[in-house]
Amino acid sequence: MKRLNKYISDTGFCSRREADKLIESLRVTVNGRAPELGTKIGDDDVVCVDGKEVKAVPENKSDRVYLAYNKPVGITCTTERKIKGNIVDAVKYKQRIFPIGRLDKPSEGLILLTNDGDIVNKILRAENAHEKQYRVNVDKPITPMFLNKMSSGVPILDTITLPCDIKQVGKTSFDIVLTQGLNRQIRRMCEYLGYNVTRLIRKRIMHIKLDGLKAGQYRQLSDDELNQLNNDVVHSSKTARDS
C-alpha cells in the first residue's frame, strides 16, 4: 500500500505536491469515487486523473526521465498548458515531465525536469542543503558591505536567509551559492540592500551544470550525473516529517 499522492507522483504524472492539489480539486478518482487526502492505494485499485487511468510504474524506475534544461527568459515553470510560455510546451519532450523547483519568468539557466516524483522534494527541501549556484548582475557597483550582508543573511519574507557563499566576479556581478529556495530569494535579498537584479542565471544544481547548453536546449543527465544524484539524495528527507 502507498499514499495516493505518492502513487500519482511515482507514475510521472506530476509532483507529490501537485498531486495533492489534484485530489483537493476533485480531479482524481479511486475506483470511480473521489478520495480523501492520505488515501492509500493497493495493487487492485484503479486511479484516474481527469477520467484517464494512471498506471503504476516499474519499481526499478527504468522508464524515468531526467533532463537538464537551459531555461530562457520568459518561460514559466508550470505544467499548466493553458499558461502561455509554460515549460512543458517549451521543452516539447515526448513523455510527460515536470520541473524540479522553479526559476521565475525573468530568470534563466539550469532547471531539472523529470517524471520521477519521488526525487523532487529530496532535492528541493532546504534542510537537505543541496547547493544551487547563480550568476547575478545588478544595477550598480557592488560594495564590500553588500557582499558581507548578502553572505551573512538578509531579512526577507518574515525570516532571515541562511548564510551563503558569495564571490564578486565583476564590477556589478557576483556568484552566489544557496541551499534555500525562498520565493524570488536573490531578487528580494538584493532589493532589501538597495540593488535591482538586471540578470540572473542559475549555473549549477548540486553537481549538475549547464555544460554548454544554449538557451532553450536540454540534455539527458549522464549516467555519472544520475548515479551521483541518487547517491547524494539517498539520505535526504522527502518531507518535513521524514526529517
Side-chain angles (χ1 to χ4, degrees):
M1 302 284 284
K2 66 172 64 174
R3 286 183 177 271
L4 177 57
N5 61 354
K6 177 171 170 52
Y7 176 94
I8 295 172
S9 70
D10 283 352
T11 69
F13 191 90
C14 63
S15 68
R16 213 181 288 193
R17 181 180 297 178
E18 289 174 323
D20 282 336
K21 292 179 180 179
L22 292 174
I23 297 166
E24 289 176 328
S25 60
L26 303 180
R27 294 173 59 186
V28 178
T29 60
V30 177
N31 303 324
R33 297 183 179 182
E36 297 179 353
L37 288 174
T39 293
K40 291 189 176 181
I41 300 301
D43 293 339
D44 296 328
D45 290 318
V46 177
V47 178
C48 294
V49 177
D50 295 332
K52 296 182 179 179
E53 185 177 358
V54 288
K55 296 183 178 181
V57 297
E59 287 294 327
N60 64 3
K61 297 185 178 181
S62 58
D63 64 342
R64 300 296 82 180
V65 174
Y66 306 89
L67 303 181
Y69 173 58
N70 188 349
K71 185 190 90 67
V73 171
I75 298 301
T76 302
C77 292
T78 179
T79 58
E80 292 292 335
R81 306 295 288 273
K82 63 185 179 182
I83 296 178
K84 186 177 180 180
N86 69 81
I87 196 169
V88 176
D89 286 343
V91 176
K92 295 183 173 68
Y93 196 71
K94 58 187 176 182
Q95 292 176 245
R96 187 183 181 96
I97 53 175
F98 49 88
I100 301 177
R102 297 177 60 85
L103 271 176
D104 60 15
K105 191 173 182 178
S107 300
E108 57 192 295
L110 180 62
I111 188 163
L112 304 180
L113 297 107
T114 187
N115 55 4
D116 180 2
D118 196 43
I119 205 170
V120 175
N121 283 344
K122 289 183 178 181
I123 293 175
L124 294 182
R125 291 197 65 83
E127 58 262 38
N128 294 330
H130 298 313
E131 292 184 348
K132 298 176 287 292
Q133 182 179 358
Y134 303 81
R135 170 69 53 84
V136 186
N137 292 357
V138 289
D139 61 346
K140 59 185 179 181
I142 293 167
T143 65
M145 182 178 294
F146 171 85
L147 295 173
N148 180 63
K149 289 185 176 180
M150 287 286 287
S151 65
S152 60
V154 176
I156 61 170
L157 298 173
D158 299 321
T159 188
I160 297 177
T161 59
L162 295 176
C164 62
D165 291 332
I166 186 170
K167 179 182 178 181
Q168 185 170 356
V169 294
K171 186 177 180 180
T172 59
S173 59
F174 60 91
D175 283 350
I176 186 170
V177 178
L178 301 181
T179 56
Q180 285 179 293
L182 301 177
N183 180 255
R184 300 181 69 251
Q185 179 171 345
I186 295 172
R187 295 181 187 276
R188 292 179 190 274
M189 292 170 72
C190 290
E191 288 166 4
Y192 180 84
L193 298 174
Y195 288 72
N196 291 311
V197 171
T198 58
R199 190 178 187 188
L200 191 155
I201 308 170
R202 184 153 65 194
K203 301 171 61 180
R204 174 172 65 87
I205 299 173
M206 301 167 69
H207 59 284
I208 302 166
K209 301 178 181 179
L210 282 173
D211 276 350
L213 281 178
K214 296 180 181 179
Q217 291 183 332
Y218 68 83
R219 62 175 176 83
Q220 301 276 354
L221 296 192
S222 69
D223 289 342
D224 287 344
E225 286 175 324
L226 190 53
N227 288 337
Q228 185 175 340
L229 179 63
N230 284 320
N231 287 336
D232 287 347
V233 302
V234 68
H235 298 301
S236 295
S237 63
K238 292 174 284 188
T239 67
R241 285 175 295 183
D242 291 340
S243 302

